[in-house]
Amino acid sequence: MSEVIRLLPDNIANQIAAGEVIQRPASVVKELIENAVDAGANNIELHIKDAGKTSIQIIDDGKGMSEMDAKMSFERHATSKITSAADLFTLTTKGFRGEALASIAAIAHVDMDTIELGAQLGTKIQIAGSKITSQEPSSRPKGTSISVKNLFFNVPARRNFLKSDNVETKHIIEEFNRIALTHPEIGFIFSHNGNVIHNLEGAGLRKRIVDLFGRNFNNKLVPIEEETDIVKVKGFIGKPEFSRKTRGEQYFFVNNRYFKDSYFNHAVVAGYDNLIPPKHHPSYFIYLEVPSQSLDVNVHPTKTEVKFEDGRSIYSIIRSAVKLALGKYNIAPILDFEHQSQFDLSLEQQNSPIRQPEIQVDTSFNPFKSSSSSGASVEKSNFGGNSSSSKNFGSSGSFGNSNAFNSIKPNKEEWEDFYKISEEAEEEITQAPKEIKFEEPLKSSSNKIQLHKNLLLIQVKSGAMLVHINRANERVLYDELMERFMLSPIAAQQLMFPYEYNLLSTQKLEWENNTSTLKRLGFDWDWQNNTLVLSSIPSMLEVEYVTQCLDGIVEKITHEELDKGELVHELILSLSAAATNHRSKSLSEEEMNYLIDRLFQSEQHQYSPSGKRILNTISIDELNNYLS
Ligand code: ADP
Ligand code: MG
């Protein structure tokens, strides 16, 4: 009988192993950047062509390799990082399996150019299908450059399996972000088809986050910090009002390694308590440090899952750290609210003589707080009722005036899709459980008093109603803009002096992708490199709030996977928020009446388009009890 069992030749074994480690261009990017980090690089460049399908090049200024090591590095299980199994538990490097380079060399054409620190001459090697095809000395000054070309050239099934350039690029950006966030101290350059996407200088974490995701992130972050024997927690979490329907930037790291963990994600969300509406996701960048013996990073070949010895305790520590961070920085909207009412005095008010108040109101009593009044149950049922419509529309949790869609037809083909979505949303809204309606305030006859600029106290039949003026304005403007936008472009105002706003190159690309929508909103502009030079802005927007508005818009166009209809909704939301946010002024009686009338024409008069409560009632009983 002849033998049937054979050892596989190395190159086939490597090809099979490669399937585990290298699934797509992004896996190559991850492995090679990690090697550069392990080599102690201070600066790393990533250049990709055609989403990495044509070529991926990583250049570092790390310690490099000797000629022998350069050749050895492509052997399977060739690693300089561990020598015994025990080392697995005290790892400080990213790699340790010695599989990456061998796997990549089995399925691509690889050029390596490297020089060992202090050596005179470096080494250039070419490899294809696991075989060295050429070797020569090199005169590079420092570090290592590795180019990976024609990925999966000899595994057509894999190559055909790759997704569109767009999707593969997104995977690469995600890997890049994870490493850039793990190592803010390292400088990175990232280019795609010759266009620089990121040029990040080594920095602290906060700056790194802002450089990666846009400067509007700067005022969204709250530091988080907790130290226990089991785990140290550091990093930043996003303020609740910036939570979104789509999962945004959610990053966990442990001992300087990115990982995914839905259990800990739950801990974070639980820490926000009910500060974020259901189905909204906060951003977070949370760095854990645990003793390396209590961590197993070896459970998954691509190593984004890790096992913790004491997961349950870490869960509670994360949750309370989040809670604490939010509490410490007075993030709850209710506190914002108090802040405004206490300190936001207009010049006019500051200068006027102090008058005896006509009624006494305790400013610490806040009916918007959900636990005390009937508002709590209303709030719940309202969010619940809206959640069915929420999948069509972004973060508001309450889609706007459906009246706007009854009477009008869009006159431009390009908005047809949007209209379709709106109709679907409307259907869902009508199917949603009926909202509990508030009693409408008695119109002109009812007493209205403006309190602390931002609140309106109105006498209603059953007691008193408190209305948040900015949010009411935001709702009215949002409904109006949504309706107008579908019919015709929003009126623009020409600026006497052009307004400049800097964008990252990725943001510039997205801005240009959305040119027609942004022009329809009333913006017009030229470019100076990556700087947007605005010559016109929407007419209702005051120049001093342009930055706020653009911050919101840029975030929406760059970071959400929104379809056109959702994007329009989000952009109008940013615009109405920026146009009304600071508008508190003394209102005349006519203005108060007008605002309330307009507000109650909206089907969604209880919530602002960004999901905040606009009004609440206090019953006569509650008012009386309050004094008893
Ligand atoms: P691992 O990272 O798991 O050790 P790799 O296959 O990724 O395995 O790399 C093999 C070895 O090649 C590494 O252990 C390291 O010694 C060397 N190496 C790879 N890339 C670099 C680099 N950019 N600079 C210096 N040495 C490198
Ligand atoms: Mg490696």
Side-chain angles (χ1 to χ4, degrees), residues 31 35 81 95:
E31 294 295 338
N35 281 347
K81 297 167 191 171

Side-chain angles (χ1 to χ4, degrees), residues 83-99:
T83 51
S84 71
D87 290 348
L88 274 177
F89 298 96
T90 53
L91 273 173
T92 55
T93 55
K94 315 245 163 230
F96 55 86
R97 295 160 175 266
E99 278 179 332

Side-chain angles (χ1 to χ4, degrees), residues 199-477:
N199 186 347
L200 310 170
E201 59 184 33
L205 177 59
R206 190 179 195 115
K207 178 156 180 356
R208 176 55 49 94
I209 294 172
V210 169
D211 287 349
L212 270 177
F213 299 112
R215 65 176 179 177
N216 45 335
F217 255 77
N218 199 23
N219 57 11
K220 293 184 182 178
L221 300 174
V222 177
I224 173 172
E225 194 160 10
E226 185 69 75
E227 224 179 298
T228 69
D229 290 343
I230 301 169
V231 63
K232 280 188 205 159
V233 184
K234 277 191 317 194
F236 292 96
I237 58 176
K239 293 180 186 170
E241 60 266 38
F242 296 109
S243 65
R244 296 195 308 244
K245 283 249 159 90
T246 46
R247 255 175 220 279
E249 296 72 24
Q250 301 191 325
Y251 293 92
F252 278 123
F253 303 88
V254 60
N255 297 0
N256 268 338
R257 205 183 272 280
Y258 169 84
F259 72 101
K260 272 192 190 140
D261 197 312
S262 53
Y263 181 56
F264 290 168
N265 174 66
H266 189 271
V268 175
V269 175
Y272 277 81
D273 235 343
N274 48 15
L275 288 179
I276 50 177
K279 299 199 173 150
H280 279 56
H281 306 280
S283 304
Y284 55 81
F285 308 85
I286 295 179
Y287 294 71
L288 308 179
E289 237 178 82
V290 299
S292 51
Q293 300 84 340
S294 73
L295 184 71
D296 184 357
V297 294
N298 211 1
V299 289
H300 193 270
T302 53
K303 294 170 278 174
T304 57
E305 281 154 31
V306 294
K307 253 194 340 228
F308 290 85
E309 199 176 79
D310 205 352
R312 284 179 66 162
S313 311
I314 297 176
Y315 177 98
S316 346
I317 294 166
I318 292 176
R319 191 186 53 189
S320 67
V322 169
K323 246 191 179 140
L324 199 72
L326 294 173
K328 217 170 177 172
Y329 290 87
N330 290 347
I331 293 311
I334 181 167
L335 295 176
D336 275 342
F337 205 74
E338 277 173 1
H339 169 83
Q340 278 174 11
S341 55
Q342 278 165 12
F343 303 117
D344 202 6
L345 284 177
S346 70
L347 212 61
E348 189 188 335
Q349 278 169 308
Q350 282 165 9
N351 295 338
S352 61
I354 297 162
R355 269 183 291 143
Q356 184 72 26
E358 280 153 34
I359 40 164
Q360 294 287 338
V361 178
D362 184 331
T363 49
S364 67
F365 173 62
N366 196 322
F368 290 83
K369 200 171 191 167
S370 56
S371 58
S372 59
S373 69
S374 58
S377 58
V378 173
E379 181 156 358
K380 278 212 184 77
S381 68
N382 193 41
F383 272 126
N386 276 324
S387 62
S388 60
S389 65
S390 64
K391 67 176 185 292
N392 282 318
F393 290 96
S395 66
S396 80
S398 57
F399 181 65
N401 188 356
S402 60
N403 286 340
F405 302 111
N406 288 337
S407 52
I408 50 174
K409 292 269 174 277
N411 56 1
K412 286 227 169 171
E413 257 175 58
E414 79 180 284
W415 303 109
E416 259 168 20
D417 287 352
F418 174 49
Y419 186 66
K420 213 166 68 202
I421 294 163
S422 307
E423 276 182 333
E424 281 165 17
E426 189 190 357
E427 252 166 49
E428 289 190 10
I429 286 170
T430 45
Q431 284 160 9
K434 271 267 165 281
E435 274 174 28
I436 298 164
K437 281 259 184 278
F438 278 106
E439 177 193 12
E440 292 195 23
L442 310 166
K443 288 185 180 155
S444 39
S445 61
S446 66
N447 289 324
K448 299 186 183 69
I449 298 158
Q450 188 174 5
L451 304 171
H452 299 288
K453 280 178 55 180
N454 233 338
L455 295 175
L456 219 49
L457 184 65
I458 307 169
Q459 181 180 324
V460 291
K461 231 198 247 156
S462 60
M465 176 185 288
L466 206 51
V467 177
H468 191 290
I469 295 174
N470 277 351
R471 294 175 192 168
N473 270 321
E474 194 183 333
R475 163 55 68 200
V476 168
L477 180 62

Side-chain angles (χ1 to χ4, degrees), residues 35-36 39 60 64-65 73 78-81 95-101 144:
N35 281 347
D60 69 56
M65 282 172 270
S73 67
T79 178
S80 55
K81 297 167 191 171
F96 55 86
R97 295 160 175 266
E99 278 179 332
L101 286 185
T144 305

Side-chain angles (χ1 to χ4, degrees), residues 22-54:
I22 307 299
Q23 283 129 7
R24 51 177 13 126
S27 333
V28 175
V29 168
K30 170 180 191 284
E31 294 295 338
L32 295 186
I33 301 188
E34 287 189 347
N35 281 347
V37 172
D38 284 347
N42 293 315
N43 292 288
I44 299 175
E45 293 179 29
L46 163 64
H47 305 287
I48 59 172
K49 283 207 187 107
D50 306 323
K53 294 171 184 171
T54 305

